Amino acid sequence: MIPIRPSRPDDAPALFAVWLAAVRSTHDFLSEEDIGFYADLVRDQYLPSAALMVAVDGDDRPVGFLGMSGCRIDTLFVDPAWHGQGIGRALVAYALDSGQGLTVDVNEQNSAARAFYRRLGFREIGRSALDDSGRPFPLLHLALDGSGRREPTEA
C-alpha cells in the first residue's frame, strides 16, 4: 500500500522537484523557456497555496502528488523514478474515494498521460486549442464515469 497524506508547507521544495523531473520526463513538447514559464507559476503560486494529496515513500519523502478542485484533477505528477509502480493509480483511486466522478485535462501531446488515463477508464469529452495559461498546448478534457460533461470543442 502506498502511503498518501495531505501536503505540508515544508513539502514544497520536494514537490517542486517531483514536478520538474516529471515534466522533463513526459513533456518533451515543451521548450526550456516553456518549462521556465510554468516552473515559476508552479513554484511561486500553485504549490504554496494548493491543498495536495502526497504519495510518500517509506521515509515520508514525496514521490507524487495530486491536486483537486471539486471533482476535477488539477494536477497529478509522479517522480519518474517511481513511474510504473502504482503511484498515479493510487492517487487517482484516493480521489475516487470521494464518491464523485472525476474529470481531468491532459496535454494532447503528452501521450503517456493520455494512455495512463485511458487505462483507468477516462474518455475524451472535449478539447481546447490553448492551455489554461492561453499558450498553444492543446488540452484534452477527459471524464471518468460520465462525470463533468463539457460541450466538446474543436480548435
Side-chain angles (χ1 to χ4, degrees), residues 1-5 8 54-64 82 85 87:
M1 183 135 178
I2 298 161
I4 297 175
R5 63 164 172 78
R8 302 183 301 240
V54 181
V56 295
D57 67 11
D59 295 320
D60 198 43
R61 289 184 300 237
V63 297
W82 289 79
Q85 297 185 44
I87 304 295

Side-chain angles (χ1 to χ4, degrees), residues 8-9 11 22-23 25 37 43 55 62 71 74 78 84 86 105 112 117 132 136-137 143 152:
R8 302 183 301 240
D11 286 329
V23 166
S25 173
F37 170 83
R43 182 187 54 247
C71 65
D74 292 326
V78 175
D105 290 346
Y117 286 112
D132 293 337
F137 301 109

Side-chain angles (χ1 to χ4, degrees), residues 6-29:
S7 61
R8 302 183 301 240
D10 64 333
D11 286 329
L15 296 178
F16 180 73
V18 166
W19 176 87
L20 187 59
V23 166
R24 289 194 186 286
S25 173
T26 60
H27 291 63
D28 58 357
F29 54 93

Side-chain angles (χ1 to χ4, degrees), residues 16-115:
F16 180 73
V18 166
W19 176 87
L20 187 59
V23 166
R24 289 194 186 286
S25 173
T26 60
H27 291 63
D28 58 357
F29 54 93
L30 295 178
S31 69
E32 281 302 312
E33 183 179 320
D34 294 324
I35 292 172
F37 170 83
Y38 293 110
D40 289 344
L41 293 173
V42 169
R43 182 187 54 247
D44 301 336
Q45 295 177 28
Y46 184 71
L47 290 176
S49 64
L52 304 169
M53 296 314 301
V54 181
V56 295
D57 67 11
D59 295 320
D60 198 43
R61 289 184 300 237
V63 297
F65 64 93
L66 173 126
M68 302 277 302
S69 294
C71 65
R72 180 178 184 256
I73 297 173
D74 292 326
T75 185
L76 174 59
F77 288 95
V78 175
D79 184 321
W82 289 79
H83 282 183
Q85 297 185 44
I87 304 295
R89 185 178 292 272
L91 286 164
V92 171
Y94 190 91
L96 277 170
D97 281 348
S98 67
Q100 301 177 22
L102 295 175
T103 62
V104 66
D105 290 346
V106 65
N107 289 107
E108 187 174 61
Q109 301 101 317
N110 188 341
S111 59
R114 288 187 357 246

Side-chain angles (χ1 to χ4, degrees), residues 98-142:
S98 67
Q100 301 177 22
L102 295 175
T103 62
V104 66
D105 290 346
V106 65
N107 289 107
E108 187 174 61
Q109 301 101 317
N110 188 341
S111 59
R114 288 187 357 246
F116 168 76
Y117 286 112
R118 188 172 33 253
R119 283 192 305 273
L120 295 181
F122 284 79
R123 62 185 172 72
E124 186 176 338
I125 59 170
R127 180 183 185 275
S128 297
L130 304 176
D131 70 10
D132 293 337
S133 296
R135 301 185 114 206
F137 301 109
L139 295 176
L140 299 178
H141 311 300
L142 309 178

